[in-house]
Structures are given as C-alpha cells and as structure tokens.
Amino acid sequence: MALKHVMINDIISEHSARMHNLKKYYPFFVLNETTFTQYKEGKFGYLDMGYITMASLRFFINENNFHEKDITFEEYEVFLRELLRRDFELEEEADEEKQLIVYIFDKLKNDGRAFEFKFYDPEIKGMKIARVKLIDSRIENGQVLYTITAEGIEFYLDTKEIKDESKISVSQLLLEKMISSNNFRGGIDVVKRINSQVIQLKTEKEQVLKLLGIDVFEGAKAYEDYMATTAKWFTEEQKLFAKNKALVDKAIERASLEKSEDGSSSLRSKALEDISSLETELKKTIYNHSQLIAETMELQQISDKIISRAKLRKLRPVFDFRASLVKIMEQDSPDMMAHVLMPLFAPRLGKSFSMKSIDNILTLKSEDKSKGEKVEKEALDLEFEYEDEILDKKIGMNFARLFYELLDQLSKWGKVTLKELNGILEIKFGEEIYGNRDYYSFLVHLAGKKTYSMSKMIQKQDTLLEEMVIQNMSEDDKERFMTMTFDIIFGEEEVELNSHISSVDGKEKESFYVTDMIFERRNGD
C-alpha cells in the first residue's frame, strides 16, 4: 500500500513538469501533420514539412548563433527556395513559389503567435496551457528581424544525442576547418564557445565535489558519470588543441611573410590581427583546459578519501532498526519482520551451577595460599577528570567557538540574521553541526539576553553562557572583541535550521525550529 501511494503521488505531482518538458516537441508534429493538407487543395502534399522545419531551425541556429546575426525574410526566402528546388525538385512559377514560401514561413512562426499545448493538471483538477515558439521576431530600423527561440534550439539539439561525444572535440574539428579555410573571425567565435564549454565542465566538477560533501552515494554516482563522459576525452582534446595551435602558428608565419612582402596591404594586416586574436583566445582556452585536467585529478583524490571515510562510518557495530523498517516498507514484505523480531522472542537460556563443584571449591588449594596479598598504594592522580567534567569542558569549548564565529561575522558585516549565521556555520563545520545538540543549546542560552557586551562579560558573567565563553576564549580573541556590543532582535516567525537537507550522517533528519533572530552590532563598536 505504501508503494502504491508513492506511485500515485508521483503520477499526480510530476505530470505538469513532464508536460512542460514535452511542449517543445508539440510544434513539430502540428506542423508535420497539418501544414499542406488544406493548402491549394493538397497540391503540395508531397512536401515533407518535418524536414523543412528541421532544416529551417538549423539555418537559424547557424546564422543567429554561429554568425551572430538576425535573419530577414528575404534571407530565409533564398535559403528555402534553394532547399525546395534541390531536395524536392520543385518547379513552379515565381509567384506561385513565392506564395508557397510565405505560407510555409507563416506556419513555421505560427503567424507570430505561440503554439498552445493544452493538457490536464490533476493537482489543480483543471486544464493548463503551455505556450512555445520556434521563431521570434523584432523590428529594428523599420525592418523585421527573426531569431530562433531557446525552445527551438533545445528541440533541435534534443533530436540528436551527442552525449557519447566530446563537445570540445567536435568544436575543435569545426575550428580546424575554419583555420584551414582562413575563416579566422569565425574561428575566434568557435574558440570562445570552446572556452565556455571548458568553464562549464569546471562548474560541473565543483557541483560533483559539493554533492560528495552532502550525499556520498549520489556524489559517487555523479563522479562516475563525470569521469565517464568528460575525463575520458582529455587526451584526445589535448591532441586537437596542439594540432590547432600548430595551424595557428603556421597561419601567423604565412601572414607575417605576406605582409613583409607588401606592407601596404590593409587586408593582410586585418587578417594578421584576426589570427593574433585567435591565438590569444586559443592560449586562454588551453590554459583553462589544463587547469580543468589538474582539478579533475584532484577531484579523483578527494572523492577517494570521502568515499573511503563514508565506508568506515557505515561499518557500525549496531543494528539499524529504522533502516530495516524502511527496507521492509520499500519491498512491501511484512514477513521480513520475523527476521527482526525472532531473536527478541527467543527463549532465554538460563545457566545453573553444578552442586558437585562445591566440594571441589572447598577442597581446592591454591598454590600461593600461604602467600600474603601485596597491596600497592597508588599515587593520587590530580589531573583525573570525571565524565561530567569532560562533558562540561567540551560544551564550554563549543559555546566559545560558536560565540567567536558570531562576533567575527558582526565585526565584518555589522548585522547578520539567524539564517545567514546558520549558513556560515554549515560551510565552516559541515552538515554534522545539525547533529550536534550543543548548537541548539547555544541558541537557547544566547536568547536569554537581548544585549551582550564583551567588556562587561570579561568583568562579570551574568549567565552560564557568558561564564563558559569567557573561560574558554583565548586572550587574543578577548582583546580583539573587547569593544564589541551587539543586540538581539527577535522575530515573530520560526526558522527551520536544517530545512534544506534530508538526512545527517545517513540518518533521517530531525527538524529543529528556532524563533527568528537578528544580531546587530552597535554603532561605534
């Protein structure tokens, strides 16, 4: 029943998101099915609007993204006329051909309106409308310019998987062709895209590292995916970088030689300037790529340490009843409870003492019976501490450290909220702080007063918190914050400190709510 409830909840809650993901495919099928059914009584029914749509999107991507220019209708008309004649052997009068191209373009941009994709949302128990455009337009200097939308680019890229290939390698092959054809200006754009791809991979590496610190299991999966889809291409990418760098060097040498023969050629001077810019961008990208490789190797070492430490934490000599209960619910097998309960209901085995052994005890003579027992007087250990004393000392050190962090943030910013302090402590001490009861005890003690002054605290401690802080704070820290005074302003709402995490050290989290507080340093301190 539990699994069925989860399944139904997933169906209802995720339906809207799935429909919004599907909406980018909707215009393609509408165009493919209805474009030529009623136009000219089906005269052009042999034309494939699906192919025309994909070709048009590729044309817009090439012009808008690669050449960074918007498209006029006249430019699109030239492209589509060539396509119809070449791929469909269209032979019509000029006016008829013109009308057909206008009709196709109007359908492609849906007469300037968005395609409306209607679907039922079970959460609100009503219909929703998702809107999507493939082509967008704007007016500039009295001329209508057209560009492909983000949905159009996303749809076009989704129709061809390139996950098993290196995007950097594919871009470098394009760069090689541009250098060979002396298109250095276009090569600069390609190198900039390669550099942005390298920076994106560095960002993905940081996300993997962050995920490892939050959830080792999910982080390990993300690390394996990253290494499988990214790191395995490093060697090939480095070879292509070296090859393209050599091509650029040859181009600089050739352009310099031509310029020396004819120094008045402004065209060659412009080419040399473009090649130099291309070389600068390529060097920058090669440097970033080398940094990415070094950081990836460092990621490998860090991940090994984190995973190894997590494995050791999992080897606990206790039985986790909560984890077992969750596993039984996931498998929907109540009979597995027998394995947990049977040992608890097993018969208790009693032990008895044989009466025959009494005679042996009475008649047994030890070898050193005649020897006296030597009693050694142990020296009194003056440094011995009881467990409660050790615990009090540990709590005092934790309170002093947390109070120090609060003073440090107030000295920097002058004002800090409870949420901001919570985030700073999480960064410094990790999510383990949510499993430390001293943190919540510190907040309770801290809320006992509305104003704290370090100079007064050093002279006289009014509360247990002040006493522990002064006893465990170093003299340098006391001197640094001697003039610090701050007020606590209490809000009306409650703040869940650990709202963004689901578990701590593999255990399901326990939510903790604290009244919102704002810590503000007094002016002049």
Side-chain angles (χ1 to χ4, degrees), residues 25 154-167 170:
Y25 301 99
E154 185 180 6
F155 164 70
Y156 184 82
L157 295 180
D158 281 351
T159 56
K160 184 179 185 299
E161 281 292 328
I162 56 173
K163 290 183 179 180
D164 294 335
E165 303 176 24
S166 167
K167 295 181 180 179
V170 173

Side-chain angles (χ1 to χ4, degrees), residues 277-289:
S277 300
L278 175 60
E279 182 188 27
T280 302
E281 292 294 333
L282 188 58
K283 286 181 179 179
K284 185 191 304 182
T285 305
I286 293 174
Y287 174 76
N288 289 336
H289 192 265

Side-chain angles (χ1 to χ4, degrees), residues 66 166-179 186-202 237-238 240-241 244-245 278 281-290 292:
F66 292 167
S166 167
K167 295 181 180 179
I168 297 176
S169 297
V170 173
S171 298
Q172 288 205 75
L173 293 175
L174 176 60
L175 175 62
E176 180 182 348
K177 293 180 180 179
M178 287 191 169
I179 296 174
I188 294 174
D189 296 334
V190 174
V191 175
K192 288 181 179 179
R193 289 201 303 273
I194 295 175
N195 194 28
S196 66
Q197 291 165 358
V198 173
I199 294 174
Q200 181 181 355
L201 292 178
K202 293 177 71 174
E237 290 166 0
Q238 286 291 86
L240 290 173
F241 273 126
N244 285 322
K245 181 64 170 60
L278 175 60
E281 292 294 333
L282 188 58
K283 286 181 179 179
K284 185 191 304 182
T285 305
I286 293 174
Y287 174 76
N288 289 336
H289 192 265
S290 300
L292 172 64

Side-chain angles (χ1 to χ4, degrees), residues 12-13 15-16 20 119-129:
I12 295 175
S13 62
H15 181 72
S16 180
H20 279 286
F119 63 92
Y120 178 76
D121 189 346
E123 284 190 314
I124 64 173
K125 298 187 182 303
M127 298 298 294
K128 274 188 175 181
I129 298 177

Side-chain angles (χ1 to χ4, degrees), residues 375-387:
V375 178
E376 295 182 357
K377 186 177 181 180
E378 297 182 358
L380 183 62
D381 187 4
L382 299 178
E383 297 182 356
F384 176 79
E385 293 180 336
Y386 292 96
E387 292 185 2

